[in-house]
Amino acid sequence: MSQQAIVLFAHGARDPEWAKPARRVAAEVQRLRPDAAVSVAFLELMEPTLAAAVEAAAASGARQVRVVPLFLAQGGHLKRDVPALIEEVRARHPACSIELATAVGEDEGVVRAMAAFAAGA
């Protein structure tokens, strides 16, 4: 039973193949953080939802949940929709500390990695 959980949060799509990269990232995060429970959740069209992923983490004993949006930027969903979802899950799980990270695409290391890929480096 892990006290910490990391929920990788992606948009979702109709094609189930779309989720494969998020699941690959989750496997790598789990390798890097074997002490944490790592899962993937989706905003729409796929399961589990963010609420369901946080519910599962809390039910398994997590007291700290870090939600990491696998988005390129802090766009409309991350400015409006996701904060409302986070507030809902915080209200249902007051014993859990639920942190919302910025979009991964905002991180300088991620920007450099994407630039290196695009440049063929």
Side-chain angles (χ1 to χ4, degrees):
M1 167 184 341
S2 178
Q3 291 282 322
Q4 296 182 334
I6 300 170
V7 177
L8 303 176
F9 185 61
H11 189 277
R14 285 180 178 80
D15 183 350
E17 296 289 310
W18 182 92
K20 282 185 175 181
R23 297 193 197 292
R24 287 177 51 215
V25 171
E28 182 62 11
V29 172
Q30 189 67 76
R31 186 187 72 75
L32 294 169
R33 289 289 312 276
D35 60 312
V38 179
S39 63
V40 179
F42 302 96
L43 179 63
E44 59 187 25
L45 303 171
M46 301 181 105
E47 297 289 329
T49 64
L50 178 61
V54 172
E55 180 73 35
S60 71
R63 292 296 166 249
Q64 296 174 321
V65 180
R66 177 179 164 99
V67 177
V68 181
L70 297 182
F71 288 67
L72 286 179
Q74 298 289 119
H77 285 310
L78 292 181
K79 288 180 181 176
R80 291 184 307 274
D81 305 330
V82 177
L85 292 171
I86 293 292
E87 286 309 313
E88 288 175 21
V89 295
R90 281 181 179 147
R92 284 199 299 270
H93 302 285
C96 279
S97 169
I98 302 171
E99 170 198 0
L100 176 60
T102 60
V104 296
E106 301 280 342
D107 179 80
E108 194 58 37
V110 173
V111 170
R112 284 194 301 275
M114 289 189 300
F117 176 83

